[in-house]
Amino acid sequence: MRASRFFISTLKEAPSDAEIVSHKLMMRAGMIKRLGSGIYTYMPMGLKVIRKVEAIVREEMNRAGAIELSMPIVQPAELWQETGRWDKMGPEMMRVKDRHGRDYAIQPTSEEVVTDVVRSELKSYRQLPVNFYQVQTKFRDERRPRFGLMRGREFVMKDAYSFDKDVEGMQKSYASMFDAYTRIFTRFGLKFRAVAADTGAIGGNYSHEFHVIAQTGEDALVYCPSSDYAANMEAAEALALSSERLAASQQLVKASTPDTTKCEQVAQMLGLQLSQTVKSLALTVEKEENGRQVKENWLLLLRGDHELNEVKVNKVPGLSSFRFASEAEILDAYGTVPGYLGPINTKQPVKVVADRTVANMADFVCGANEAGYHFTGANWGRDCPEPIVADLRNVVEGDASPDGKGVLAIERGIEVGHVFQLGTAYSAKMEAVYLDEAGKPAPLQMGCYGIGVTRILGAAIEQNFDDKGIIWPDAIAPFEVVLAPMGYDRSEMVKLEADRLLAELLAAGVDVILDDRGLRPGAMFADWELIGVPHRVVIGERGLKEGNLEYQGRRDEAATAVPAAEMVGFIKAKLGK
Amino acid sequence: MRASRFFISTLKEAPSDAEIVSHKLMMRAGMIKRLGSGIYTYMPMGLKVIRKVEAIVREEMNRAGAIELSMPIVQPAELWQETGRWDKMGPEMMRVKDRHGRDYAIQPTSEEVVTDVVRSELKSYRQLPVNFYQVQTKFRDERRPRFGLMRGREFVMKDAYSFDKDVEGMQKSYASMFDAYTRIFTRFGLKFRAVAADTGAIGGNYSHEFHVIAQTGEDALVYCPSSDYAANMEAAEALALSSERLAASQQLVKASTPDTTKCEQVAQMLGLQLSQTVKSLALTVEKEENGRQVKENWLLLLRGDHELNEVKVNKVPGLSSFRFASEAEILDAYGTVPGYLGPINTKQPVKVVADRTVANMADFVCGANEAGYHFTGANWGRDCPEPIVADLRNVVEGDASPDGKGVLAIERGIEVGHVFQLGTAYSAKMEAVYLDEAGKPAPLQMGCYGIGVTRILGAAIEQNFDDKGIIWPDAIAPFEVVLAPMGYDRSEMVKLEADRLLAELLAAGVDVILDDRGLRPGAMFADWELIGVPHRVVIGERGLKEGNLEYQGRRDEAATAVPAAEMVGFIKAKLGK
């Protein structure tokens, strides 16, 4: 490719709405162009990266035996109504009416459509397993689109759906996709981590997320450096900090703690460690009992220095639809105001759930259910009944790994892939069955597997940039090599060598661009450093007179002289071709 | 590829809603699956064809210097309002509101968005010309979707947009795209024809359509076998059948023609040729004059055996917004009922437009503006004033070619491509300007160029099928070659040879599928004939014992024995590889 035949449009400044580095750099490098909130045109330079990402994804999906098809973007409401997601998806799903007033969704994902395809196409266990995938435009009407391609509304996703005859088969399909994803992210040349995850809105019972590691990542990833334990913060299991309860050694004492509603303040006032305090969170659960609406009071207890994990709360039996109690409800149940709650002497009966760590504490500090007072020396069994025990908190660095093989570390990541074991969550509702070996209908066991194709671009940049611009890994760079001639339009010697090198590198299967725009070296280098092409060859008269060209990798501090005759081989070696 | 790893799903019967052969065959061959009215999932076998079509399109677009980008599917209303097309596009354009109530279009085409990209990206004449294209999903909410991919609502289109600094440049860009399209359709291996066309709703002033020739085509293509004249029926110019007016030789006579409202009936009753009769069509034009709404009466005259061309009527000065007159309006203007109208003795003043052929007729027959009567021997000038003369009719086979180089022929075609010179139709409304050599802003000269990617599949089949199924041209076949082993699961000899051939053909760059499903020969052959793979190799024990395989092209009557050792070379020669 010659730069004069391509479209290059770089900016000195990023637009003011670009908050994070990948968004800024993609805008400045001319890779994307904003059309509306969360909606971008993929400009030629950006599209080229997207195509490379897609190609790697397709190769590995095909290698894993998945078969590509393409489902419509505009999908009839009826299928979404069958699974109940027409209502459940909320405003994130764009809905549209056709000229006859019929309802459609603009696909945010395609479980319903693929299950519909499969229920009419698959008849027999002999046709299983099958795994269909597509690489397609999706739309999700995010409440607050931002960060460029990271949280856009229109985006490209690879979504795959496996169908098996039994759970064991589904697990095999899942493992095969897990391996394919590992190959895909490895081939991208990105540092990544797969973590166990909660299944959330998609449903099902087992899932992993694939994250690109980046300090700016939205998600906290928990892992054990000395084992293969890894989970996202929502799913990472927190063990009790002491394995058994300590013996009580103090009396229960009511201490005056006026205007002291936070554990940090209480600990300071009483001269105690924050880790001796317990914080109390009042919940309300509304439910029907014998046709009447009743309210239950629940109290969650966490150690003062720990953070609540709401996903875990949802999993405590009875708390799947909890909400935080209002001040009026708190007054009614505890007889006091927030900041002084505790498990001892509540006004009304309260179900108390203690985090595993709290359940093993002794002589702890908690609210006295009286404004301005806390108890010290509180102990389970003696001062209040034994609590329900559950994992309620976020893990922290240094916690014991749940597999018992070390301590946990935390790093930041950007979610770019997600694999789910769905089981029969969709096939049961949509009556997607096959005939088993005995000729009897049985529901299909399903898995689904997504990769955020356009998001990969943002994530790759968040992981790989410097103050000059983007640093693409070779595999997904818009061009692998840029040829930067010094005076292409002035020096016949330079022009000849640049043209020769272009032709030979193209013939060697290298994706190379020759910058024949006639820019001055500073501007030319700045453009390609911003765009992030990983390998640069400078062709200048001075070097050529000694038979040399200059090579510089995007991360290299300085250029290396390479004999012109050896440059093609040198580049091929750099690229592993 | 092995059939057992691909998804093959053929049907004996087409669904009842499939009316035309390509729709039936694509459904039966498992290439597409209906999701809703005019909305299809592209199944693996169909998607493979689409990808081959797209690849050829991309290669030739790139060769022509066009640059690929990708514009959003969901596009803000504001841009469409700038050009007025938000209102003009009518219900064919799907509109959707986001969660904040903002309006968007689901792209039916992208002139507005690309012009918006260009007006902010292109500053100087030095950046021109540029031609951006995309291969993207489009949606048009057709009133009556039908014929499978031929007139679907969701479809894949390649759309390109060129921007030049002047008309001469635009014409060069247009010519370059015309040539690229010619290469594209030639590479598809389809018989096609480019014809001059009307510009219609897209606007602009010059355009050609590319049609795949097929007897079942919706459009009539007019061409001159002895010259390069070609136009679609809307645009084909009809000359006068006699180059000058014949002399009057008869008196004007009022003949009684009771219950005779059609030219055919009049000619029969009076014992005359249909070609001596003139049919009259009454139009009404409503317009504002000095702030008042006024109605004009217009009368169109065609020879009795000719057909009206409404697109041509629209181009007659004053008739751009005509409609046919109501019976009440006819009674008012002509004093009679439809069927007896004519240019002589109208009740009210009427503007008379005669088709070129009618204008040169003498002694013709026309309605007498009196129920039950026609005039014979009517003549211009003598019996009524000279008419306005215009080309109003469709050409017919045998008409003189407008270039004077022969006579016209007509064939049927399916429109698969369209190229337009738009001039400043969009750039003026959207203020898309560049700075010219003198530093002054000038509007961009634009062209646009579409190919209906998914429609190509339907058109290719309408041109290439037999009673067994589809006959794909090599270039866009889902697979170029199918290996059909007789007893792959029973005969080690057959299996070894089939596996060897698969590996060697793949290594030779042949897109080959080995049918390892273990079907009986009849069922296996029927599947591949239906699917339309153009080359088949049968591998059987009997032939192998003599060192032979059987080759049969999809159009061949019988198989040919080919030595096994020569088969790879034989296939490569067949495919021109």
Side-chain angles (χ1 to χ4, degrees), chain B residues 288-311:
Chain B
E288 254 193 33
E289 233 173 48
N290 305 325
R292 281 188 322 130
Q293 203 69 16
V294 296
K295 274 190 193 177
E296 279 181 357
N297 300 307
W298 290 70
L299 190 69
L300 303 185
L301 301 179
L302 287 177
R303 203 172 76 171
D305 57 342
H306 284 160
E307 266 179 18
L308 185 70
N309 183 317
E310 293 191 26
V311 172

PDB file of all heavy atoms in Angstrom, chain B residues 288-311:
ATOM      1  N   GLU B 288     -49.994  25.959  -8.178  1.00  0.00           N
ATOM      2  CA  GLU B 288     -50.331  27.271  -7.642  1.00  0.00           C
ATOM      3  C   GLU B 288     -50.020  28.336  -8.665  1.00  0.00           C
ATOM      4  O   GLU B 288     -48.943  28.326  -9.277  1.00  0.00           O
ATOM      5  CB  GLU B 288     -49.508  27.537  -6.376  1.00  0.00           C
ATOM      6  CG  GLU B 288     -50.330  27.418  -5.110  1.00  0.00           C
ATOM      7  CD  GLU B 288     -49.591  27.992  -3.923  1.00  0.00           C
ATOM      8  OE1 GLU B 288     -48.819  28.965  -4.098  1.00  0.00           O
ATOM      9  OE2 GLU B 288     -49.785  27.452  -2.836  1.00  0.00           O
ATOM     10  N   GLU B 289     -50.948  29.242  -8.871  1.00  0.00           N
ATOM     11  CA  GLU B 289     -50.681  30.372  -9.763  1.00  0.00           C
ATOM     12  C   GLU B 289     -51.196  31.612  -9.076  1.00  0.00           C
ATOM     13  O   GLU B 289     -52.391  31.674  -8.737  1.00  0.00           O
ATOM     14  CB  GLU B 289     -51.398  30.165 -11.104  1.00  0.00           C
ATOM     15  CG  GLU B 289     -50.459  30.281 -12.295  1.00  0.00           C
ATOM     16  CD  GLU B 289     -51.160  29.899 -13.573  1.00  0.00           C
ATOM     17  OE1 GLU B 289     -52.287  30.398 -13.806  1.00  0.00           O
ATOM     18  OE2 GLU B 289     -50.609  29.075 -14.313  1.00  0.00           O
ATOM     19  N   ASN B 290     -50.316  32.557  -8.809  1.00  0.00           N
ATOM     20  CA  ASN B 290     -50.690  33.786  -8.088  1.00  0.00           C
ATOM     21  C   ASN B 290     -51.422  33.452  -6.789  1.00  0.00           C
ATOM     22  O   ASN B 290     -52.458  34.037  -6.466  1.00  0.00           O
ATOM     23  CB  ASN B 290     -51.583  34.688  -8.964  1.00  0.00           C
ATOM     24  CG  ASN B 290     -50.913  34.986 -10.297  1.00  0.00           C
ATOM     25  OD1 ASN B 290     -49.688  35.128 -10.353  1.00  0.00           O
ATOM     26  ND2 ASN B 290     -51.699  35.053 -11.360  1.00  0.00           N
ATOM     27  N   GLY B 291     -50.907  32.457  -6.087  1.00  0.00           N
ATOM     28  CA  GLY B 291     -51.482  32.114  -4.780  1.00  0.00           C
ATOM     29  C   GLY B 291     -52.760  31.288  -4.862  1.00  0.00           C
ATOM     30  O   GLY B 291     -53.317  30.913  -3.847  1.00  0.00           O
ATOM     31  N   ARG B 292     -53.256  31.029  -6.096  1.00  0.00           N
ATOM     32  CA  ARG B 292     -54.464  30.210  -6.219  1.00  0.00           C
ATOM     33  C   ARG B 292     -54.095  28.823  -6.729  1.00  0.00           C
ATOM     34  O   ARG B 292     -53.166  28.663  -7.524  1.00  0.00           O
ATOM     35  CB  ARG B 292     -55.446  30.854  -7.221  1.00  0.00           C
ATOM     36  CG  ARG B 292     -56.255  32.013  -6.617  1.00  0.00           C
ATOM     37  CD  ARG B 292     -57.332  32.454  -7.595  1.00  0.00           C
ATOM     38  NE  ARG B 292     -56.845  32.403  -8.964  1.00  0.00           N
ATOM     39  CZ  ARG B 292     -57.488  31.807  -9.983  1.00  0.00           C
ATOM     40  NH1 ARG B 292     -58.632  31.193  -9.762  1.00  0.00           N
ATOM     41  NH2 ARG B 292     -56.968  31.818 -11.203  1.00  0.00           N
ATOM     42  N   GLN B 293     -54.851  27.823  -6.292  1.00  0.00           N
ATOM     43  CA  GLN B 293     -54.676  26.454  -6.764  1.00  0.00           C
ATOM     44  C   GLN B 293     -55.416  26.343  -8.108  1.00  0.00           C
ATOM     45  O   GLN B 293     -56.618  26.604  -8.170  1.00  0.00           O
ATOM     46  CB  GLN B 293     -55.306  25.496  -5.725  1.00  0.00           C
ATOM     47  CG  GLN B 293     -54.783  24.083  -5.735  1.00  0.00           C
ATOM     48  CD  GLN B 293     -53.326  23.994  -5.251  1.00  0.00           C
ATOM     49  OE1 GLN B 293     -52.810  24.925  -4.635  1.00  0.00           O
ATOM     50  NE2 GLN B 293     -52.671  22.893  -5.573  1.00  0.00           N
ATOM     51  N   VAL B 294     -54.689  26.029  -9.183  1.00  0.00           N
ATOM     52  CA  VAL B 294     -55.384  25.861 -10.475  1.00  0.00           C
ATOM     53  C   VAL B 294     -55.108  24.466 -11.011  1.00  0.00           C
ATOM     54  O   VAL B 294     -54.115  23.820 -10.679  1.00  0.00           O
ATOM     55  CB  VAL B 294     -54.927  26.913 -11.512  1.00  0.00           C
ATOM     56  CG1 VAL B 294     -55.310  28.306 -11.050  1.00  0.00           C
ATOM     57  CG2 VAL B 294     -53.433  26.805 -11.758  1.00  0.00           C
ATOM     58  N   LYS B 295     -56.047  24.014 -11.861  1.00  0.00           N
ATOM     59  CA  LYS B 295     -55.915  22.707 -12.499  1.00  0.00           C
ATOM     60  C   LYS B 295     -55.674  22.904 -13.979  1.00  0.00           C
ATOM     61  O   LYS B 295     -56.365  23.694 -14.622  1.00  0.00           O
ATOM     62  CB  LYS B 295     -57.209  21.910 -12.331  1.00  0.00           C
ATOM     63  CG  LYS B 295     -57.319  21.138 -11.046  1.00  0.00           C
ATOM     64  CD  LYS B 295     -58.521  20.226 -11.123  1.00  0.00           C
ATOM     65  CE  LYS B 295     -58.857  19.681  -9.754  1.00  0.00           C
ATOM     66  NZ  LYS B 295     -60.073  18.846  -9.798  1.00  0.00           N
ATOM     67  N   GLU B 296     -54.695  22.160 -14.510  1.00  0.00           N
ATOM     68  CA  GLU B 296     -54.472  22.171 -15.961  1.00  0.00           C
ATOM     69  C   GLU B 296     -54.884  20.831 -16.543  1.00  0.00           C
ATOM     70  O   GLU B 296     -54.637  19.787 -15.940  1.00  0.00           O
ATOM     71  CB  GLU B 296     -52.985  22.360 -16.263  1.00  0.00           C
ATOM     72  CG  GLU B 296     -52.497  23.769 -16.186  1.00  0.00           C
ATOM     73  CD  GLU B 296     -51.001  23.846 -16.528  1.00  0.00           C
ATOM     74  OE1 GLU B 296     -50.387  22.758 -16.756  1.00  0.00           O
ATOM     75  OE2 GLU B 296     -50.465  24.942 -16.569  1.00  0.00           O
ATOM     76  N   ASN B 297     -55.487  20.865 -17.733  1.00  0.00           N
ATOM     77  CA  ASN B 297     -55.832  19.634 -18.447  1.00  0.00           C
ATOM     78  C   ASN B 297     -54.776  19.345 -19.497  1.00  0.00           C
ATOM     79  O   ASN B 297     -54.435  20.218 -20.299  1.00  0.00           O
ATOM     80  CB  ASN B 297     -57.193  19.787 -19.136  1.00  0.00           C
ATOM     81  CG  ASN B 297     -58.273  20.077 -18.120  1.00  0.00           C
ATOM     82  OD1 ASN B 297     -58.431  19.351 -17.144  1.00  0.00           O
ATOM     83  ND2 ASN B 297     -59.001  21.175 -18.326  1.00  0.00           N
ATOM     84  N   TRP B 298     -54.265  18.147 -19.473  1.00  0.00           N
ATOM     85  CA  TRP B 298     -53.271  17.729 -20.463  1.00  0.00           C
ATOM     86  C   TRP B 298     -53.781  16.448 -21.124  1.00  0.00           C
ATOM     87  O   TRP B 298     -54.405  15.608 -20.473  1.00  0.00           O
ATOM     88  CB  TRP B 298     -51.931  17.422 -19.808  1.00  0.00           C
ATOM     89  CG  TRP B 298     -51.192  18.616 -19.279  1.00  0.00           C
ATOM     90  CD1 TRP B 298     -51.513  19.380 -18.207  1.00  0.00           C
ATOM     91  CD2 TRP B 298     -49.980  19.161 -19.805  1.00  0.00           C
ATOM     92  NE1 TRP B 298     -50.596  20.371 -18.011  1.00  0.00           N
ATOM     93  CE2 TRP B 298     -49.620  20.263 -18.977  1.00  0.00           C
ATOM     94  CE3 TRP B 298     -49.148  18.838 -20.878  1.00  0.00           C
ATOM     95  CZ2 TRP B 298     -48.483  21.035 -19.207  1.00  0.00           C
ATOM     96  CZ3 TRP B 298     -47.999  19.601 -21.085  1.00  0.00           C
ATOM     97  CH2 TRP B 298     -47.674  20.694 -20.265  1.00  0.00           C
ATOM     98  N   LEU B 299     -53.495  16.303 -22.410  1.00  0.00           N
ATOM     99  CA  LEU B 299     -53.882  15.087 -23.118  1.00  0.00           C
ATOM    100  C   LEU B 299     -52.629  14.485 -23.760  1.00  0.00           C
ATOM    101  O   LEU B 299     -51.908  15.171 -24.488  1.00  0.00           O
ATOM    102  CB  LEU B 299     -54.916  15.406 -24.214  1.00  0.00           C
ATOM    103  CG  LEU B 299     -55.562  14.182 -24.862  1.00  0.00           C
ATOM    104  CD1 LEU B 299     -56.479  13.464 -23.870  1.00  0.00           C
ATOM    105  CD2 LEU B 299     -56.358  14.604 -26.103  1.00  0.00           C
ATOM    106  N   LEU B 300     -52.346  13.224 -23.425  1.00  0.00           N
ATOM    107  CA  LEU B 300     -51.202  12.529 -24.040  1.00  0.00           C
ATOM    108  C   LEU B 300     -51.723  11.640 -25.155  1.00  0.00           C
ATOM    109  O   LEU B 300     -52.722  10.945 -24.987  1.00  0.00           O
ATOM    110  CB  LEU B 300     -50.503  11.649 -23.011  1.00  0.00           C
ATOM    111  CG  LEU B 300     -49.990  12.321 -21.749  1.00  0.00           C
ATOM    112  CD1 LEU B 300     -49.215  11.292 -20.909  1.00  0.00           C
ATOM    113  CD2 LEU B 300     -49.084  13.506 -22.082  1.00  0.00           C
ATOM    114  N   LEU B 301     -51.015  11.653 -26.271  1.00  0.00           N
ATOM    115  CA  LEU B 301     -51.434  10.819 -27.413  1.00  0.00           C
ATOM    116  C   LEU B 301     -50.348   9.816 -27.771  1.00  0.00           C
ATOM    117  O   LEU B 301     -49.190  10.190 -27.978  1.00  0.00           O
ATOM    118  CB  LEU B 301     -51.713  11.717 -28.621  1.00  0.00           C
ATOM    119  CG  LEU B 301     -52.800  12.779 -28.407  1.00  0.00           C
ATOM    120  CD1 LEU B 301     -52.964  13.607 -29.670  1.00  0.00           C
ATOM    121  CD2 LEU B 301     -54.116  12.138 -28.004  1.00  0.00           C
ATOM    122  N   LEU B 302     -50.758   8.564 -27.837  1.00  0.00           N
ATOM    123  CA  LEU B 302     -49.845   7.476 -28.202  1.00  0.00           C
ATOM    124  C   LEU B 302     -50.460   6.687 -29.332  1.00  0.00           C
ATOM    125  O   LEU B 302     -51.694   6.582 -29.420  1.00  0.00           O
ATOM    126  CB  LEU B 302     -49.701   6.509 -27.022  1.00  0.00           C
ATOM    127  CG  LEU B 302     -48.910   6.941 -25.819  1.00  0.00           C
ATOM    128  CD1 LEU B 302     -48.988   5.839 -24.772  1.00  0.00           C
ATOM    129  CD2 LEU B 302     -47.455   7.181 -26.193  1.00  0.00           C
ATOM    130  N   ARG B 303     -49.626   6.078 -30.166  1.00  0.00           N
ATOM    131  CA  ARG B 303     -50.199   5.223 -31.194  1.00  0.00           C
ATOM    132  C   ARG B 303     -50.871   4.033 -30.498  1.00  0.00           C
ATOM    133  O   ARG B 303     -50.421   3.571 -29.439  1.00  0.00           O
ATOM    134  CB  ARG B 303     -49.118   4.743 -32.162  1.00  0.00           C
ATOM    135  CG  ARG B 303     -49.705   4.341 -33.503  1.00  0.00           C
ATOM    136  CD  ARG B 303     -48.623   4.056 -34.504  1.00  0.00           C
ATOM    137  NE  ARG B 303     -48.001   2.749 -34.246  1.00  0.00           N
ATOM    138  CZ  ARG B 303     -47.141   2.177 -35.079  1.00  0.00           C
ATOM    139  NH1 ARG B 303     -46.796   2.794 -36.215  1.00  0.00           N
ATOM    140  NH2 ARG B 303     -46.614   1.020 -34.774  1.00  0.00           N
ATOM    141  N   GLY B 304     -51.957   3.520 -31.070  1.00  0.00           N
ATOM    142  CA  GLY B 304     -52.790   2.510 -30.413  1.00  0.00           C
ATOM    143  C   GLY B 304     -52.034   1.297 -29.923  1.00  0.00           C
ATOM    144  O   GLY B 304     -52.423   0.668 -28.932  1.00  0.00           O
ATOM    145  N   ASP B 305     -50.956   0.920 -30.589  1.00  0.00           N
ATOM    146  CA  ASP B 305     -50.215  -0.282 -30.202  1.00  0.00           C
ATOM    147  C   ASP B 305     -49.017   0.043 -29.325  1.00  0.00           C
ATOM    148  O   ASP B 305     -48.209  -0.833 -29.048  1.00  0.00           O
ATOM    149  CB  ASP B 305     -49.766  -1.043 -31.459  1.00  0.00           C
ATOM    150  CG  ASP B 305     -48.930  -0.169 -32.381  1.00  0.00           C
ATOM    151  OD1 ASP B 305     -48.973   1.080 -32.246  1.00  0.00           O
ATOM    152  OD2 ASP B 305     -48.221  -0.711 -33.243  1.00  0.00           O
ATOM    153  N   HIS B 306     -48.878   1.263 -28.852  1.00  0.00           N
ATOM    154  CA  HIS B 306     -47.722   1.638 -28.022  1.00  0.00           C
ATOM    155  C   HIS B 306     -48.112   1.765 -26.555  1.00  0.00           C
ATOM    156  O   HIS B 306     -49.277   1.951 -26.220  1.00  0.00           O
ATOM    157  CB  HIS B 306     -47.119   2.954 -28.519  1.00  0.00           C
ATOM    158  CG  HIS B 306     -46.309   2.785 -29.772  1.00  0.00           C
ATOM    159  ND1 HIS B 306     -45.999   3.819 -30.630  1.00  0.00           N
ATOM    160  CD2 HIS B 306     -45.752   1.666 -30.336  1.00  0.00           C
ATOM    161  CE1 HIS B 306     -45.279   3.359 -31.650  1.00  0.00           C
ATOM    162  NE2 HIS B 306     -45.118   2.051 -31.491  1.00  0.00           N
ATOM    163  N   GLU B 307     -47.070   1.653 -25.703  1.00  0.00           N
ATOM    164  CA  GLU B 307     -47.292   1.724 -24.255  1.00  0.00           C
ATOM    165  C   GLU B 307     -46.721   2.998 -23.672  1.00  0.00           C
ATOM    166  O   GLU B 307     -45.623   3.425 -24.035  1.00  0.00           O
ATOM    167  CB  GLU B 307     -46.554   0.565 -23.553  1.00  0.00           C
ATOM    168  CG  GLU B 307     -47.397  -0.640 -23.318  1.00  0.00           C
ATOM    169  CD  GLU B 307     -46.563  -1.729 -22.653  1.00  0.00           C
ATOM    170  OE1 GLU B 307     -45.484  -1.413 -22.091  1.00  0.00           O
ATOM    171  OE2 GLU B 307     -46.981  -2.896 -22.725  1.00  0.00           O
ATOM    172  N   LEU B 308     -47.435   3.570 -22.705  1.00  0.00           N
ATOM    173  CA  LEU B 308     -46.976   4.793 -22.051  1.00  0.00           C
ATOM    174  C   LEU B 308     -45.751   4.510 -21.170  1.00  0.00           C
ATOM    175  O   LEU B 308     -45.672   3.481 -20.520  1.00  0.00           O
ATOM    176  CB  LEU B 308     -48.094   5.352 -21.159  1.00  0.00           C
ATOM    177  CG  LEU B 308     -47.790   6.708 -20.510  1.00  0.00           C
ATOM    178  CD1 LEU B 308     -47.787   7.797 -21.572  1.00  0.00           C
ATOM    179  CD2 LEU B 308     -48.818   7.039 -19.420  1.00  0.00           C
ATOM    180  N   ASN B 309     -44.824   5.436 -21.142  1.00  0.00           N
ATOM    181  CA  ASN B 309     -43.657   5.381 -20.250  1.00  0.00           C
ATOM    182  C   ASN B 309     -43.769   6.554 -19.280  1.00  0.00           C
ATOM    183  O   ASN B 309     -43.519   7.709 -19.635  1.00  0.00           O
ATOM    184  CB  ASN B 309     -42.393   5.486 -21.111  1.00  0.00           C
ATOM    185  CG  ASN B 309     -41.119   5.375 -20.293  1.00  0.00           C
ATOM    186  OD1 ASN B 309     -41.011   5.973 -19.221  1.00  0.00           O
ATOM    187  ND2 ASN B 309     -40.167   4.620 -20.798  1.00  0.00           N
ATOM    188  N   GLU B 310     -44.171   6.268 -18.062  1.00  0.00           N
ATOM    189  CA  GLU B 310     -44.481   7.356 -17.121  1.00  0.00           C
ATOM    190  C   GLU B 310     -43.257   8.165 -16.721  1.00  0.00           C
ATOM    191  O   GLU B 310     -43.364   9.351 -16.421  1.00  0.00           O
ATOM    192  CB  GLU B 310     -45.191   6.797 -15.872  1.00  0.00           C
ATOM    193  CG  GLU B 310     -46.564   6.245 -16.205  1.00  0.00           C
ATOM    194  CD  GLU B 310     -47.394   5.929 -14.968  1.00  0.00           C
ATOM    195  OE1 GLU B 310     -47.156   6.563 -13.909  1.00  0.00           O
ATOM    196  OE2 GLU B 310     -48.266   5.055 -15.053  1.00  0.00           O
ATOM    197  N   VAL B 311     -42.096   7.502 -16.682  1.00  0.00           N
ATOM    198  CA  VAL B 311     -40.880   8.246 -16.348  1.00  0.00           C
ATOM    199  C   VAL B 311     -40.637   9.337 -17.380  1.00  0.00           C
ATOM    200  O   VAL B 311     -40.237  10.459 -17.048  1.00  0.00           O
ATOM    201  CB  VAL B 311     -39.679   7.288 -16.249  1.00  0.00           C
ATOM    202  CG1 VAL B 311     -38.371   8.054 -16.108  1.00  0.00           C
ATOM    203  CG2 VAL B 311     -39.863   6.331 -15.073  1.00  0.00           C
TER     204      VAL B 311
END
